[in-house]
Amino acid sequence: MSNLRLINQTTISSSQSSTTVNDIFSSDYDIYKIVVNDFLQAGATETAISMRYVNSAGSILTDSNYDYAFLTMKTGASFAEGRSENQAKLLWAAGYSGASPDTMCNVIYVFNPYSSSSYTFSLGQNFSSDFGTTYGTGWKSIGVYTQTSSVTGINLYDSDGAGAYDGGVIRTYGLRVDS
Amino acid sequence: MAGNLVQVNTATITSDTADVKLDGINTDDVYVVFASGVTISVNTAYLQLRVTKDVSGTTTTQTTSNYDYAAETLKSNTSFGTYANTNQTRKYVVAAQPISNDTTGENENFIFYLYNFNNSSEYSFVTCEEMIINSTNTALMGDMGGFVYTVAEAHNGFSISGDSCSISGGTFTLYKVI
């Protein structure tokens, strides 16, 4: 049996601009792999998908304790750097939604989210269409939520208010360590 | 199914350890190391990466000047940097940025994919994804890149060790990718 264990699969089948997947982080694992795929825009405008964490009460953590940095690698323009500290989200953590056949793909690793003695770190890679352009963009990103409070889930949402999405799949895996 | 991970070796560090060696590579498969919650004994010190080799039955960290590396260093507080060199004795974690561990919650987290380690006629390659908190400005930083150990010989594992420090905590696990 693989040490990579599927914990949750969430399929988006209705129009929405915010999606919470909770109760996926626990004391069973320290490292999680989240695969976000095929977010389909509901309207004509592509939507930036950012990420926030969720606590065990189901509250989305919107305090200004997210730091991040990402390198964008564009097929049709110069590469660019993005960075910020003390923000209320991990900007573009899941790239952009798109219209079929032009959608998106993402892998995000989350480290120590359930621990109450560690910050929550993330490491991501994605490729999708860049908002407002005709070319594709890959992101390589790092992020940290600089609080030691335990988090139990994620919230993906349309962070630029460009429009809802109505399709997509979010799969969460735990990486088991056998002692 | 491709992409499955099978655990080969793991080490949970709870007291100062100079060199965490994860051995057990004995096939031509790709392997991957995940490390989480890593801490070091001296705030502002460094971590370094190397390959290991079976020398007369003892897993031995290789320290010759045959490490070539290149990475982009992402930083949450300022412009990114490039980190590259050849014929070095190790690759430092996150471009030898000093590591901060003096605030509760700070730690280091890594993913390393290992290629061709078991092949005695090819070099051993590693892709690196690393995150630390920098001790100078308490900023999140990470290397995205890789290194090659340019000696055509079989390597049985991976080494993470302190420079001017010990490793004081963390879980390090080696998996085979099948």
Side-chain angles (χ1 to χ4, degrees):
Chain A
M1 174 179 285
S2 175
N3 282 59
L4 201 57
R5 307 287 172 82
L6 179 65
I7 296 170
N8 177 277
Q9 177 170 317
T10 296
T11 301
I12 296 163
S13 56
S14 61
S15 182
Q16 52 199 278
S17 54
S18 177
T19 305
T20 293
V21 182
N22 204 0
D23 301 322
I24 52 176
F25 304 143
S26 71
S27 59
D28 292 341
Y29 307 94
D30 294 330
I31 302 173
Y32 298 82
K33 179 180 183 179
I34 301 172
V35 180
V36 183
N37 189 35
D38 205 20
F39 265 46
L40 295 167
Q41 65 189 64
T45 305
E46 295 162 339
T47 299
I49 307 296
S50 296
M51 187 170 85
R52 302 170 292 200
Y53 293 113
V54 178
N55 65 19
S56 60
S59 300
I60 299 169
L61 302 171
T62 58
D63 49 299
S64 298
N65 288 297
Y66 296 89
D67 302 346
Y68 56 79
F70 55 80
L71 177 67
T72 59
M73 297 164 280
K74 305 178 181 183
T75 62
S78 300
F79 291 7
E81 301 173 6
R83 75 187 71 84
S84 199
E85 297 177 313
N86 303 316
Q87 298 299 299
K89 60 182 176 296
L90 293 169
L91 181 66
W92 298 338
Y96 282 88
S97 67
S100 179
D102 186 12
T103 61
M104 48 95 99
C105 55
N106 308 268
V107 176
I108 304 167
Y109 287 93
V110 179
F111 296 80
N112 302 313
Y114 195 74
S115 170
S116 57
S117 61
S118 171
Y119 296 163
T120 297
F121 291 81
S122 63
L123 190 159
Q125 178 168 323
N126 61 65
F127 200 91
S128 55
S129 293
D130 195 354
F131 177 67
T133 71
T134 57
Y135 51 79
T137 298
W139 278 262
K140 196 78 178 181
S141 64
I142 55 176
V144 62
Y145 179 61
T146 57
Q147 298 291 295
T148 55
S149 52
S150 176
V151 302
T152 55
I154 60 169
N155 171 256
L156 300 178
Y157 76 112
D158 162 23
S159 61
D160 59 7
Y165 45 87
D166 59 6
V169 180
I170 305 166
R171 294 181 179 88
T172 304
Y173 302 85
L175 184 54
R176 180 171 174 79
V177 176
D178 296 313
S179 55
Chain B
M1 182 182 75
N4 283 343
L5 301 179
V6 175
Q7 184 174 318
V8 174
N9 199 350
T10 190
T12 299
I13 304 302
T14 57
S15 61
D16 287 0
T17 302
D19 188 357
V20 176
K21 294 189 280 282
L22 295 170
D23 59 12
I25 294 175
N26 56 11
T27 71
D28 292 336
D29 295 290
V30 174
Y31 290 75
V32 60
V33 172
F34 284 85
S36 65
V38 179
T39 57
I40 59 176
S41 60
V42 178
N43 200 54
T44 74
Y46 314 92
L47 287 169
Q48 51 199 354
L49 310 171
R50 295 186 174 104
V51 303
T52 67
K53 177 183 175 183
D54 185 332
V55 179
S56 302
T58 300
T59 294
T60 306
T61 300
Q62 300 301 289
T63 59
T64 63
S65 300
N66 288 291
Y67 291 87
D68 300 349
Y69 53 76
E72 183 81 2
T73 305
L74 282 59
K75 305 175 181 180
S76 67
N77 68 325
T78 189
S79 298
F80 298 175
T82 56
Y83 175 58
N85 211 333
T86 58
N87 302 321
Q88 300 298 297
T89 58
R90 84 285 267 176
K91 180 196 179 292
Y92 277 109
V93 162
V94 189
Q97 295 289 326
I99 294 170
S100 183
N101 276 166
D102 62 347
T103 299
T104 300
E106 295 177 337
N107 55 68
E108 295 77 61
N109 298 279
F110 312 121
I111 304 174
F112 305 108
Y113 276 86
L114 317 180
Y115 301 85
N116 304 331
F117 271 49
N118 190 56
N119 191 325
S120 60
S121 60
E122 294 182 0
Y123 297 159
S124 293
F125 289 80
V126 180
T127 61
C128 304
E129 298 171 291
E130 309 159 4
M131 290 182 288
I132 68 161
I133 302 293
N134 180 293
S135 63
T136 303
N137 41 39
T138 322
L140 173 69
M141 296 187 181
D143 263 5
M144 301 295 157
F147 70 84
V148 57
Y149 185 66
T150 57
V151 178
E153 62 185 13
H155 298 113
N156 70 340
F158 193 72
S159 157
I160 304 175
S161 60
D163 181 356
S164 306
C165 69
S166 298
I167 296 172
S168 56
T171 301
F172 305 77
T173 308
L174 172 67
Y175 299 94
K176 180 191 297 185
V177 182
I178 60 172

